[in-house]
Amino acid sequence: MRDTVFSPSFGNRPERLVGREKVLEDFSESLDSRPGSKERATVLLGQRGSGKTVLLWEMADRASSRGFVVAKPTIASAGMLERIVEKVQDDGERHVKGRGARLVGGSVGALGFSAGLQFSREVQESRSFSYKLTHLVRELTAQGKGTLILVDELQANSPEVRQLVITYQELVGEQLNVALVMAGLPGAVAATLNDRILTFLNRAKKVTLGPLALVDVDAFYKKAFSEVGLVMDGETRRKAAEATQGSPYLLQLIGHYLVAYASDDGSLGGDGFAEALAAAQRDFENDVCKTSLASLSDKDVAFLEAMACDADSSTMADIASRMCVTPDYAQKYRKRLINAGIIEQSGRGKVAFAVPYLKSYLQGEDCR
């Protein structure tokens, strides 16, 4: 069989989004709100594989269809600010070409534009990011167009992100038609929000991308499997949905491998179903679990290894005992891992893994 539906790779855009329609509806409504409103600034928080990047691209398409000029998702890194300016210019050109490049309130040279939304060489080489973006957004607002800026992989303590948010706040102060959406891992977002210079960002709308509802996953699988000709009874399909644990990335991986392991007639004979789930789990552990652990300290990992010894949730007393540390010391790492979205509170004095299959990935370690 040939997989024509699933896209199990980071950065790939699946044919359809599952279970995120409410997020997209709220975002679309925010574009209709007045410039400067709280809803115009959104921060997406989610673990690896939660679909942050896919959502940003979908937001870009929806904003573009509403007439917004869009700086499509830019990864937070060195050079990000210049790329944002270039993306606004490239997308905005379609709205100013053929207008003689005349600007509201002055001539072509007065605000540093040489043609359309392109700056003169002097402005390009000597003016700051803030100056350039402000003049672009002013011109587009004057033309009746909004500007949307999308940032992916938010980094903690990033000077580029700090400069972008400061500039955005100034644009909002001018009541210009602008919106900002940033996405990142919970820990990076928490560090950014705790930056005292960026207190303005704490008023932004926070959207946590939690697990997908299994009923939504099952409904999607039912339609998708029918389209590709995969024969599966309802009970088996629901087991596949449960195996995703609500992860958008696992949804794609499992769907892809089920199609790959099926016979030409669309059936999953023998051990095909179990083999498909195992292959998806291996990919997820390598792409998400291994990568998540690599970003943690040795003590963070030791805390998780102590948790992995339990069949269900873990008590803080047991974790501290296994780590041979005091309960107060263990609480420090509990807070860090919750902020990073790796674990979650599961009752008074208890925690559980928040990342699918991370426990099984760690269970090869000897329990102390």
Side-chain angles (χ1 to χ4, degrees):
M1 295 184 68
R2 193 165 73 87
D3 179 6
T4 58
V5 174
F6 301 99
S7 304
S9 177
F10 282 114
N12 276 2
R13 297 181 65 184
E15 185 176 315
R16 297 181 213 97
L17 290 178
V18 180
R20 302 298 192 202
E21 192 56 41
K22 181 64 167 62
V23 175
L24 292 167
E25 287 175 0
D26 289 347
F27 166 74
S28 296
E29 289 178 6
S30 77
L31 298 182
D32 295 331
S33 65
R34 61 177 177 80
S37 66
K38 176 181 177 179
E39 291 74 19
R40 287 291 191 97
T42 301
V43 181
L44 303 177
L45 302 87
Q47 262 300 336
R48 292 178 177 87
S50 61
K52 300 183 296 297
T53 300
V54 171
L55 267 178
L56 288 178
W57 279 100
E58 185 66 22
M59 288 174 169
D61 287 349
R62 296 199 178 196
S64 184
S65 69
R66 300 169 89 91
F68 270 68
V69 171
V70 180
K72 293 183 178 178
T74 304
I75 294 174
S77 61
M80 176 191 77
L81 301 179
E82 195 58 40
R83 291 198 301 279
I84 288 173
V85 167
E86 292 169 351
K87 289 178 179 182
V88 172
Q89 289 175 314
D90 289 345
D91 196 46
E93 285 289 334
R94 57 196 170 100
H95 298 298
V96 299
K97 281 184 176 179
R99 298 177 183 234
R102 298 293 295 180
L103 304 179
V104 176
S107 64
V108 172
L111 297 179
F113 292 97
S114 60
L117 293 178
Q118 301 304 311
F119 291 110
S120 67
R121 178 178 297 179
E122 178 185 359
V123 169
Q124 186 65 30
E125 294 178 352
S126 64
R127 294 291 188 167
S128 68
F129 160 78
S130 180
Y131 178 95
K132 295 173 188 174
L133 184 62
T134 298
H135 281 77
L136 287 169
V137 176
R138 280 178 185 166
E139 167 60 7
L140 290 167
T141 298
Q143 300 281 7
K145 299 297 178 183
T147 303
L148 171 65
I149 300 167
L150 300 164
V151 176
D152 199 5
E153 298 185 23
L154 195 64
Q155 301 296 314
N157 305 314
S158 164
E160 289 81 12
V161 170
R162 184 179 293 112
Q163 185 58 57
L164 172 61
V165 174
I166 290 171
T167 303
Y168 178 78
Q169 185 172 359
E170 293 171 352
L171 297 175
V172 169
E174 286 192 40
Q175 295 189 322
L176 299 179
N177 194 357
V178 63
L180 173 67
V181 181
M182 300 192 294
L185 298 171
V189 171
T192 301
L193 296 179
N194 289 333
D195 188 325
R196 286 180 294 178
I197 298 175
L198 304 181
T199 53
F200 162 82
L201 199 57
N202 281 294
R203 298 195 294 273
K205 181 177 181 179
K206 291 26 168 235
V207 178
T208 299
L209 301 177
L212 302 176
L214 295 187
V215 64
D216 291 335
V217 177
D218 183 55
F220 171 73
Y221 273 165
K222 182 177 181 180
K223 184 175 182 179
F225 294 162
S226 176
E227 287 182 13
V228 298
L230 183 61
V231 180
M232 187 176 295
D233 62 77
E235 182 180 353
T236 305
R237 190 187 65 243
R238 283 188 288 275
K239 288 180 180 178
E242 290 171 359
T244 71
Q245 298 186 38
S247 163
Y249 186 40
L250 270 169
L251 177 149
Q252 298 294 329
L253 282 171
I254 289 173
H256 171 73
Y257 277 114
L258 287 171
V259 175
Y261 278 80
S263 302
D264 290 340
D265 63 359
S267 63
L268 274 165
D271 297 325
F273 182 78
E275 291 171 353
L277 295 191
Q281 181 175 339
R282 284 194 299 271
D283 278 6
F284 188 86
E285 288 176 343
N286 185 67
D287 296 344
V288 176
C289 298
K290 185 176 181 180
T291 305
S292 297
L293 292 174
S295 66
L296 303 177
S297 71
D298 290 344
K299 282 293 185 182
D300 289 324
V301 175
F303 186 105
L304 297 175
E305 289 173 340
M307 285 181 61
C309 298
D310 295 309
D312 195 8
S313 57
S314 304
T315 67
M316 287 302 300
D318 286 344
I319 294 170
S321 175
R322 291 168 188 159
M323 293 179 69
C324 300
V325 299
T326 66
D328 286 345
Y329 186 85
Q331 285 289 345
K332 170 185 174 182
Y333 292 95
R334 170 187 174 276
K335 182 178 179 180
R336 282 163 52 101
L337 290 165
I338 287 177
N339 285 341
I342 304 294
I343 65 173
E344 58 191 3
Q345 186 171 326
S346 62
R348 186 175 181 83
K350 294 183 177 182
V351 289
F353 285 92
V355 178
Y357 296 113
L358 184 56
K359 175 186 284 190
S360 61
Y361 183 75
L362 289 165
Q363 279 177 337
E365 299 293 327
D366 292 331
C367 290
R368 290 187 290 260

